[in-house]
Amino acid sequence: MSKRELKVNPPAFIGARDAAKQLGLSVPTLYRYIKTEGLPCFRIGGSYRFRQSELDEWIEKHREPTNSVRQDARSLLLDAVSILDKYPDEPTKE
């Protein structure tokens, strides 16, 4: 690497304001998520810090299913109900 080339690395940790912005939350809501939703963070000198990789993992873990996933689940449920409807609860006695 020449003297003129700079290697730019993303910061290892981000602050609460940047984390809130990435999550689309206000800072007070971010603090509430830390306490109630298990948002991963740690404190350095009284300030909350977040690892980007941990935020990304938390987002994926708490993501709502997309409409296609919901539709697939609904279809499976309806198929199961229709199969169950074909069979009586108790066997018939002859």
Side-chain angles (χ1 to χ4, degrees):
M1 183 179 336
S2 72
K3 290 180 181 179
R4 291 185 174 212
E5 292 179 35
L6 294 175
K7 188 174 180 182
V8 178
N9 292 326
F13 308 108
I14 61 173
R17 191 174 297 153
D18 290 331
K21 185 175 180 180
Q22 284 186 17
L23 295 170
L25 304 171
S26 67
V27 174
T29 301
L30 178 85
Y31 292 148
R32 190 177 78 235
Y33 275 39
I34 291 168
K35 292 177 183 174
T36 63
E37 303 295 326
L39 186 63
C41 68
F42 52 96
R43 293 185 83 150
I44 297 177
S47 298
Y48 286 103
R49 297 286 183 234
F50 303 84
R51 281 192 177 101
Q52 185 63 55
S53 60
E54 290 177 345
L55 281 179
D56 294 340
E57 288 173 17
W58 188 86
I59 291 168
E60 286 301 315
K61 186 188 266 188
H62 292 84
R63 179 180 297 230
E64 288 288 322
T66 62
N67 286 338
S68 63
V69 172
R70 285 187 191 126
Q71 186 61 38
D72 291 345
R74 185 174 186 268
S75 295
L76 287 171
L77 181 61
L78 291 174
D79 290 345
V81 168
S82 68
I83 290 170
L84 290 173
D85 286 343
K86 290 180 183 178
Y87 299 96
D89 290 339
E90 298 178 24
T92 57
K93 295 180 181 179
E94 293 181 23

